Structure formats: C-alpha cells, structure tokens
Amino acid sequence: MLENLPWNVFRQTGNIETYLLMKEMKEQNQQSPEHQASSIEQESQEDLNL
C-alpha cells in the first residue's frame, strides 16, 4: 500500500511536484544505510554553515 502512495497522491491531486518529491524520498529510503548516514552528516554540516 505505501509503495503506491506517491502515485495515489498524484492521481488524487494532479500535483507532479508532490509525486516527484515522494518518489525521491522513497528512493532515498531504499539506499544503503552507509549512504544514508553520509547524506545526513553532509546535510548537518550544510545546516551549520547557514
């Protein structure tokens, strides 16, 4: 059910940006844990630089 969530949201709203965002989030969740950890560290560093 959750794997179809991006498509169902797009179908109901017609908002392509929401669909693409949800697809991107889904792909990030399926990445390896090591890659996710490095991405989180990088985002944290970027937040500190603001």
Side-chain angles (χ1 to χ4, degrees), residues 2-50:
L2 286 177
E3 54 272 349
N4 294 327
L5 185 61
W7 174 250
N8 289 333
V9 170
F10 172 68
R11 225 175 56 176
Q12 292 179 356
T13 65
N15 188 333
I16 190 70
E17 292 172 355
T18 302
Y19 172 75
L20 293 174
L21 175 62
M22 293 184 77
K23 285 281 284 184
E24 183 178 332
M25 291 171 60
K26 179 181 174 184
E27 289 171 6
Q28 287 178 353
N29 286 337
Q30 293 176 348
Q31 292 176 350
S32 67
E34 296 121 17
H35 184 62
Q36 286 181 351
S38 66
S39 294
I40 291 170
E41 288 174 11
Q42 183 179 13
E43 289 175 4
S44 295
Q45 289 296 329
E46 288 173 358
D47 289 342
L48 291 174
N49 292 333
L50 294 176

